[in-house]
Amino acid sequence: MSRLPRDFFERDTITVAKELLGKILVHEVSGRRLCGKIVETEAYCGITDKAAHSYGGKLTPRVKPMYGMAGTSYIYFIYGMYNCFNIVTQAEGIPEAVLIRALEPLTEFDFISQNRFKENYNKLKASKIKALSNGPGKLCIAFSLDRSLNNYDMCKYHSCFYIESPVKNNSPEIVSAKRIGIDYAEEFKDKPWRFYIKDNNFVSYK
DNA sequence: AATGCGATTCTCT
DNA sequence: GAGAATCGCATTT
């Protein structure tokens, strides 16, 4: 298994958002290998997209990673207590990205469960198992993603934080829907640029 | 199942 | 000083 190459990310953002579904996010930390299947994404289509942080070519210190190479992480702080994790798409200088909205945990269940709820996985009720990482803020807590991993090159050879293809290359059935939490985005708030795997239990909103 | 609200702090004006 | 690509809990239906 190997890291998805920069070519994968250096493409049209909506295409990348769809093709990321079913791929595996890997974060190697404190001797562990945290893996989660990507089950929900949102495309943020740069300078023309009123919902994107880079709308209109805005370039502040926070947004700067979006202008970096494809495969760069963009992790920002939101609502006073959460982080959101994106992967930058398109060539350097084109500020577009895909928000990872939900993951299905695949390894290190107790570690992930401790991160989220301070209790072991086998103590969790079904409702909490589902809530481990079914949202952009939740998955950052569960998978130990914070701003120390912002502006990180996920395609470099020795990265500890990257995306890989699953062993079995199944292409999931994809549902398109409106993006979440962007009421300010006027005519862009209803664009069907959220994508999720049909019938997956770890999707945030259906 | 749906709705409402408070928490909490970074970012930019 | 206002607002934010959210979450969890409480309340109502």
Side-chain angles (χ1 to χ4, degrees), chain A residues 5-159:
Chain A
R6 203 170 312 285
D7 287 1
F8 177 91
F9 301 103
E10 195 173 320
R11 293 186 293 161
D12 168 74
T13 302
I14 288 170
T15 302
V16 176
K18 289 179 183 172
E19 291 192 16
L20 276 171
L21 295 174
K23 300 291 191 292
I24 312 299
L25 176 75
V26 183
H27 181 202
E28 295 168 2
V29 61
S30 46
R32 301 172 188 278
R33 193 163 185 276
L34 313 183
C35 299
K37 181 162 86 169
I38 297 172
V39 301
E40 182 179 353
T41 61
E42 283 179 1
Y44 284 88
C45 299
I47 61 175
T48 60
D49 179 359
K50 288 186 179 176
H53 292 166
S54 55
Y55 172 64
K58 190 169 88 159
L59 176 50
T60 59
R62 181 180 70 151
V63 183
K64 200 159 186 193
M66 286 190 73
Y67 290 77
M69 285 185 295
T72 298
S73 68
Y74 171 44
I75 300 178
Y76 62 88
F77 187 69
I78 189 74
Y79 295 124
M81 42 177 112
Y82 300 110
N83 293 305
C84 287
F85 160 54
N86 303 248
I87 308 177
V88 173
T89 57
Q90 298 278 27
E92 192 164 6
I94 301 176
E96 305 190 8
V98 174
L99 171 67
I100 305 302
R101 281 196 59 88
L103 296 172
E104 176 179 339
L106 298 176
T107 65
E108 299 289 357
F109 292 91
D110 279 337
F111 186 82
I112 285 168
S113 180
Q114 285 288 342
N115 277 347
R116 276 281 287 147
F117 301 122
K118 304 291 176 218
E119 54 187 340
N120 276 348
Y121 186 79
N122 60 13
K123 300 269 188 183
L124 299 182
K125 289 194 286 190
S127 58
K128 275 192 168 181
I129 290 175
K130 197 172 166 178
L132 279 169
S133 50
N134 67 339
K138 299 174 193 177
L139 71 89
C140 285
I141 298 168
F143 285 76
S144 301
L145 309 182
D146 58 36
R147 277 161 294 157
S148 68
L149 288 166
N150 184 33
N151 202 23
Y152 184 91
D153 181 4
M154 301 180 74
C155 298
K156 67 183 177 184
Y157 183 55
H158 283 301
S159 59

